[in-house]
Amino acid sequence: MSGPAVAIDPGARFTRVAHVGPDGTPALVALPGTVPGEGLPTSGAAGGHHGAALRTAYAAYRRQYGTPERIVVVVPQHDRPGEARRATDVLTALHGPDPMPRVLALGTPHAVLALLRHAGTATGARYAVCDLGATAAELSLCALTAGSVAVTGTARHAPAEGFAASFDAAVLAGAGLPDDETTRLALAEARAGDGVVQRLEIALGRSAGRPGHYDETVVLEVAGRPVTVAVLRRALDRLTAGLDTVLDRTADGQPAPQVVAVGGAARSARLRRHLTQRRGAPAPLPTGTDPALAAAFGAALVAAGRIDPADRYPHVVFVGTHRTVDGLPRGEELLVCPAGSLEPGGPTVFARTGEERVRLRTTAAGNAADRPVRIQVRDARGGHATPVRTLTVPAAPEGTRFHVGVRLAADGTARLVLEPLGSGQPSEHPLGPLPTDIEGARP
């Protein structure tokens, strides 16, 4: 990649802007007003709105460093298409007539698993990415296949008062403080002090062993007001109850996938222990990675071209077809799926000309049963074709018209889809896994 690349993870409390340093390690970008280890505070005027937080953070980045070549924006999984569209609209509006960087909107689970895949620790076939953020607790079930990560299910708990935000509100209320932008920033700064997190965890652990004995012990001071163990414990109960809600919604009777816990609330050792009791020990993040920064760091690796996001099949899919010219059959290639258009577990992608689906028809001289269909792939920039499979599909009456498409299942295997025009059910024909390691492929 020839120019700077940046990742932005807009949050309700903090927006993390990250890049990959010269040593190949992801890190937060130094910007005016950044809280060490947290990122840029999200203005109260944003009200937790991702678009407003993105607008503020990206404007700050451009003032400091200029326009990057590529931006990867982390978006919530529950409304990824809508969030991706809104993020692109925000960045487009900020640039006006100026040239736009390349923009990719990446769902949180793909960003987090990019971090683990880059570290070589994503060795399992199934994971549950549990994002414990200020607004919501969201759990995404993920299946890792050759070259792709499929999100096979999600559950979300987003109470009106927020998830981790409700913890902060309970702590501030217990200290007799209002829940506003100033006091939330004071709370974040108090928790960031040396040894504070360890002191809080030790106090909560002792309290759990002897209920009520340490309730009045002061373990933190925010804006000159004391915070006791009892206040912390009641605030923590809100988090464990919300976490149980999303875990219960994804209990399907199958062996539970290993959980990857990320987000600001995942810093809590008490919350991680609760998660371990329910689903086993969470998968470790790369050494030294703050769980609140995991999504931003994974997205930064994607932005810098260090790892493929694996949210789409990266290559072109095409089929061999024939048409008659001057009474003679001529072999041609029909583009079915442009590079990056196939999503594991997503909808069928049909061959198109502009906005219209391509219509194919059978002929008496060579119907679908008489002529094999060759499925091939090549990289996005037109390298050598790699064969996938040659199929012989069932016969159809002369003149039958149909659309041809490809669907990528959640298990990573592909199907050729033939959908008749008018009446009739689509037929699917297994292709197996699509090749991802193409010799000479260029990103």
Side-chain angles (χ1 to χ4, degrees):
M1 189 153 303
S2 60
V6 65
I8 305 177
D9 181 10
R13 289 288 184 261
F14 293 95
T15 297
R16 279 90 190 199
V17 183
H19 67 156
V20 173
D23 63 350
T25 302
L28 290 178
V29 175
L31 291 171
T34 294
V35 176
E38 292 286 7
L40 281 175
T42 299
S43 168
H49 186 268
H50 290 104
L54 172 62
R55 183 182 301 108
T56 299
Y58 184 55
Y61 178 90
R62 290 185 75 197
R63 285 194 297 270
Q64 193 78 5
Y65 299 103
T67 300
E69 179 182 300
R70 190 180 189 195
I71 309 169
V72 175
V73 182
V74 181
V75 298
Q77 182 64 29
H78 79 284
D79 183 25
R80 182 171 52 79
E83 293 283 358
R85 184 176 59 254
R86 288 185 284 273
T88 302
D89 289 345
V90 166
L91 296 174
T92 301
L94 284 173
H95 278 272
D98 297 334
M100 272 283 291
R102 288 181 291 160
V103 178
L104 171 67
L106 195 62
T108 299
H110 285 98
V112 171
L113 287 173
L115 180 69
L116 270 63
R117 290 166 47 241
H118 181 264
T121 59
T123 56
R126 297 173 68 230
Y127 287 91
V129 176
C130 193
D131 182 18
L132 306 176
T135 302
E138 183 172 275
L139 190 145
S140 300
L141 299 176
C142 302
L144 275 65
T145 61
S148 64
V149 175
V151 177
T152 60
T154 60
R156 179 178 171 86
H157 173 65
E161 66 275 16
F163 179 67
S166 69
F167 176 89
D168 292 352
V171 169
L172 293 171
L177 293 168
D179 180 17
D180 58 28
E181 188 172 354
T182 300
T183 56
R184 287 194 295 268
L185 184 57
L187 176 58
E189 291 173 342
R191 281 195 297 229
D194 289 340
V196 170
V197 172
Q198 294 87 340
R199 185 168 71 248
L200 299 182
E201 298 296 346
I202 290 171
L204 286 169
R206 289 175 176 172
S207 175
R210 300 182 65 182
H213 191 75
Y214 295 99
D215 280 2
E216 300 308 314
T217 302
V218 175
V219 288
L220 190 65
E221 188 174 282
V222 180
R225 304 298 294 270
V227 177
T228 65
V229 169
V231 168
L232 282 179
R233 192 177 63 250
R234 287 193 295 269
L236 185 64
D237 287 345
R238 296 190 179 197
L239 298 188
T240 55
L243 177 57
D244 285 340
T245 297
V246 294
L247 293 177
D248 290 343
R249 289 175 182 170
T250 54
D252 56 7
Q254 299 183 21
Q258 190 169 19
V259 174
V260 188
V262 298
R267 291 166 169 163
S268 168
R270 299 290 300 176
L271 202 59
R272 291 197 303 273
R273 279 195 289 272
H274 184 82
L275 185 57
T276 299
Q277 292 170 355
R278 290 291 313 271
R279 289 288 183 90
L285 296 173
T287 304
T289 301
D290 186 330
L293 308 180
F297 284 1
L301 290 166
V302 171
R306 303 300 179 96
I307 186 79
D308 185 89
D311 62 334
R312 297 287 192 279
Y313 183 66
H315 303 310
V316 173
V317 182
F318 62 97
V319 300
T321 62
H322 291 79
R323 69 170 176 164
T324 301
V325 179
D326 297 329
L328 298 174
R330 173 185 295 177
E332 293 186 344
E333 293 180 354
L334 173 66
L335 171 67
V336 180
C337 305
S341 61
L342 275 175
E343 177 184 356
T348 300
V349 176
F350 288 95
R352 292 179 179 273
T353 299
E355 295 299 318
E356 298 293 327
R357 290 185 186 180
V358 172
R359 301 179 180 185
L360 300 183
R361 68 182 178 89
T362 60
T363 66
N367 63 25
D370 296 329
R371 184 176 294 118
V373 179
R374 300 185 309 277
I375 295 89
Q376 302 179 78
V377 299
R378 62 162 52 98
D379 71 90
R381 298 191 181 183
H384 293 294
T386 298
V388 177
R389 191 172 178 181
T390 299
L391 296 173
T392 301
V393 298
E398 180 183 353
T400 298
R401 293 179 179 272
F402 56 91
H403 302 302
V404 60
V406 172
R407 180 174 70 85
L408 193 59
D411 64 3
T413 59
R415 284 52 165 170
L416 179 71
V417 180
L418 300 178
E419 183 178 277
L421 274 67
S423 61
Q425 292 297 315
S427 61
E428 294 196 357
H429 310 275
L431 299 177
L434 296 177
T436 55
D437 187 13
I438 297 178
E439 184 176 355
R442 293 170 290 173

